[in-house]
Amino acid sequence: MKTIVKNGKIVSPSETYEADLCIENGVISCIGTNLEQKFASDEVQVIDAAGKYVLPGGVDVHTHMDLDVGFSRAVDDFYDGTVAAACGGTTSIVDHMAFGPAGCNLHHQLNEYHRLADDKAVIDYGFHGTVQHVNDEILDELESMVEDGVPSVKVYLTYGFKINDDGVLEVLKRMKELNGITAFHCENHDVVEHLKKVYSESGKTTPIYHAKSRPNIAEAEAVRRVLYLAKLAGDAPVYIVHLSCKESLEAVEEARKARQKNIFVETCTQYLTMTEEKYKDEDGLKYIMSPPLRTDADREALWKGLENGEIQIVATDHCPFNYGIEKQMGKDDFTKCPNGAPGVEERMILLFSEGVMKNRISLNRFVEVACTNPAKVYGLYPKKGILEPGADADLIILDPEREQTLTHANMHGAVDYTVYEGVPVKGYIDLVMQRGNVIAKENRFTGARGAGEFIHRKTRDLKDESSCLR
């Protein structure tokens, strides 16, 4: 059976146009006009999208499903979390794997994550590798990770398995040789640990001191250092996750002005929509994440960077812990609170409402940063992130006129809150399709457990791929 989505406005990164879209065997077979008449003799299911936008399914390349942080575990597993993603219009994720046992190889966690995700995920998914230590065996193993569909790896400059600069340089060089990409959590570990100790010993343990212990400069210094190391590695591809402040953005801008290539930058919905004032609320523990929420000046700088192309991707860093349980570990001391917050369900509609409907970014730019660019950078494109013949029929139908208020009661994950409680948004996702199947309709999940497929991502000959993104 063919499925025809008719009368909608199809949106790509470069244009918006009225057309019909035909789906066969889970793939977009053609786009044109009057397709219902053209295929009148065939068995056809018709979906009328009149007055609505037809967009590519969202691609969130920064989630943490079922994340084990040692003393706690994220409450969304790969079923709950991907149901939430699906209902929010995200049809593909690339998940950042947790640290494994000390000394483990890269495939230890890849095998563990296949166990956690396979037969649970309801949308398509991939994984990023995680480097915990660097030696010849790990550097060699990066090649077989790429062969196994994981052409990206994450390096942390803080936390228990932080990688020092010599290891960073070696990973960058090796990943460049493999046409892979290295993602970085950028914070100056020693500065953060020092400030946490200072505040704790001074009795300053409320949530606002989480933000003060991780100042803008601690992030910006690490961003700048990574960019220098990437340049030293021959402009090795480098991806900055969850960039949150104006000083970090300035470091990126300076590197690009110096003609450094292959710099990719992500921010997250929370840094575009909230500030550190949230930490002063009675429920400030809900917002403890790293990096922390910043100031209004940072927020505005990020919107400008998103509009002008300095920031190319918006993700979520979805990592939910229950406010009533896990987050309460930090009620007397912010340093004891697990870091992370939910967001995979809210990203698409919030970015549309706050970005497009408030004229901060165009509709086409919205598709670019939430769908197409993440798919391009991480090897999912052109099957994902675009609506064109040959692409997977992952799409959402969005009503731009329908208004709603975000509330936990209407969310689908396992966590007990949303950081966007009571936020009014303009826009409503009517329907979500994954490979031609309707998996969410009118905020009701209609898909199937385990229907998501592992995305065996490919490498890209990046060279100066950053010039292809805006």
Side-chain angles (χ1 to χ4, degrees):
M1 178 185 290
K2 294 181 175 68
T3 298
I4 293 175
V5 180
K6 69 174 186 178
N7 300 328
K9 292 183 178 179
I10 297 174
V11 186
S12 78
S14 58
E15 58 183 337
T16 303
Y17 57 97
E18 293 188 10
D20 301 340
L21 180 151
C22 183
I23 300 165
E24 297 182 69
N25 299 317
V27 173
I28 299 171
S29 59
C30 66
I31 296 174
T33 57
N34 300 315
L35 295 186
E36 188 177 2
Q37 296 178 15
K38 179 179 179 180
F39 297 113
S41 60
D42 298 341
E43 187 177 2
V44 174
Q45 174 189 14
V46 177
I47 298 172
D48 193 347
K52 300 170 185 176
Y53 294 125
V54 181
L55 313 169
V59 180
D60 189 349
V61 293
H62 191 166
T63 62
H64 293 283
M65 304 300 178
D66 217 345
L67 181 79
D68 184 355
V69 295
F71 65 95
S72 188
R73 194 169 192 124
V75 298
D76 275 349
D77 65 11
F78 275 88
Y79 176 72
D80 298 313
T82 56
V83 167
C87 291
T90 288
T91 54
S92 301
I93 62 169
V94 185
D95 198 79
H96 284 281
M97 296 187 284
F99 295 128
C104 72
N105 65 16
L106 299 172
H107 277 82
H108 178 283
Q109 286 304 90
L110 179 58
N111 294 336
E112 172 66 6
Y113 267 68
H114 274 299
R115 185 186 70 80
L116 294 174
D118 297 352
D119 302 321
K120 280 189 179 179
V122 307
I123 62 173
D124 293 349
Y125 58 96
F127 305 126
H128 301 285
T130 300
V131 172
Q132 298 179 207
H133 63 281
V134 180
N135 56 28
D136 289 343
E137 288 75 19
I138 292 295
L139 294 171
D140 288 342
E141 192 184 3
L142 289 169
E143 183 172 7
S144 58
M145 287 287 283
V146 170
E147 292 169 353
D148 289 335
V150 183
S152 55
V153 68
K154 188 175 186 179
V155 170
Y156 289 82
L157 302 187
T158 186
Y159 303 133
F161 289 104
K162 74 180 183 73
I163 304 299
N164 293 326
D165 291 354
D166 56 344
V168 168
L169 186 59
E170 290 301 311
V171 171
L172 283 166
K173 288 179 177 177
R174 183 62 178 139
M175 289 300 285
K176 182 188 178 187
E177 291 172 355
L178 296 169
N179 284 327
I181 186 166
T182 311
F184 287 91
H185 177 121
C186 294
E187 289 183 290
N188 184 302
H189 176 81
D190 293 330
V191 168
V192 170
E193 291 303 308
H194 172 74
L195 291 175
K196 284 166 62 177
K197 184 173 184 288
V198 168
Y199 287 125
S200 293
E201 291 179 349
S202 303
K204 297 177 179 179
T205 57
T206 57
I208 187 60
Y209 292 101
H210 168 70
K212 294 186 180 302
S213 70
R214 306 179 102 100
N216 289 22
I217 297 301
E219 178 187 308
E221 183 279 330
V223 169
R224 194 175 295 275
R225 178 160 35 106
V226 161
L227 293 175
Y228 278 133
L229 290 169
K231 187 174 185 62
L232 188 61
D235 284 357
V238 58
Y239 183 100
I240 307 298
V241 303
H242 53 43
L243 185 141
S244 68
C245 64
K246 58 185 177 63
E247 289 89 348
S248 295
L249 190 56
E250 288 166 359
V252 171
E253 291 168 344
E254 289 173 18
R256 286 182 174 145
K257 285 178 182 176
R259 298 189 178 181
Q260 184 172 340
K261 300 175 182 178
N262 300 320
I263 302 170
F264 305 94
V265 178
E266 160 200 297
T267 193
C268 298
T269 328
Q270 58 268 31
Y271 303 117
L272 294 166
T273 57
M274 296 184 290
T275 72
E276 64 181 14
E277 293 301 307
K278 289 289 188 181
Y279 294 120
K280 299 176 183 178
D281 293 349
E282 183 180 359
D283 59 355
L285 289 171
K286 290 179 177 178
Y287 309 94
I288 287 186
M289 61 190 75
S290 296
L293 300 175
R294 305 294 190 182
T295 67
D296 194 59
D298 293 305
R299 190 176 62 86
E300 289 305 316
L302 296 179
W303 277 114
K304 183 178 179 181
L306 197 63
E307 192 279 331
N308 67 21
E310 294 292 349
I311 298 172
Q312 299 139 311
I313 289 170
V314 178
T316 61
D317 196 9
H318 177 83
C319 187
F321 301 93
N322 283 317
Y323 174 65
I325 305 175
E326 293 85 7
K327 287 287 186 179
Q328 293 306 311
M329 295 178 187
K331 63 184 177 62
D332 299 318
D333 183 352
F334 74 87
T335 67
K336 308 298 184 185
C337 184
N339 282 218
V344 74
E345 186 164 0
E346 299 95 315
R347 178 184 70 128
M348 292 292 285
I349 201 62
L350 196 63
L351 187 58
F352 175 81
S353 181
E354 291 294 310
V356 178
M357 300 307 283
K358 291 187 177 180
N359 296 314
R360 288 181 169 123
I361 57 173
S362 70
L363 179 62
N364 306 102
R365 182 65 176 153
F366 165 65
V367 166
E368 197 170 19
V369 300
C371 310
T372 313
N373 280 355
K376 282 185 173 182
V377 170
Y378 279 123
L380 293 81
Y381 184 87
K383 294 296 288 183
K384 309 292 187 183
I386 194 76
L387 298 179
E388 63 183 19
D392 286 350
D394 299 353
L395 61 85
I396 64 178
I397 297 176
L398 189 150
D399 184 344
E401 299 302 322
R402 188 170 172 182
E403 299 181 11
Q404 59 177 312
T405 299
L406 298 180
T407 177
H408 175 256
N410 293 332
M411 298 293 162
H412 297 81
V415 71
D416 64 358
Y417 74 102
T418 172
V419 293
Y420 306 106
E421 185 69 40
V423 173
V425 294
K426 189 165 185 180
Y428 187 88
I429 296 173
D430 283 348
L431 181 144
V432 183
M433 298 183 82
Q434 167 100 80
R435 286 179 275 106
N437 298 310
V438 176
I439 59 171
K441 188 174 183 179
E442 291 284 336
N443 202 41
R444 182 173 62 88
F445 177 64
T446 60
R449 183 186 185 94
E453 297 179 355
F454 174 68
I455 305 169
H456 191 285
R457 294 182 293 123
K458 60 189 178 183
T459 60
R460 296 181 61 80
D461 187 5
L462 289 168
K463 293 182 180 176
D464 187 16
E465 181 75 15
S466 54
S467 68
C468 301
L469 308 180
R470 191 190 68 81

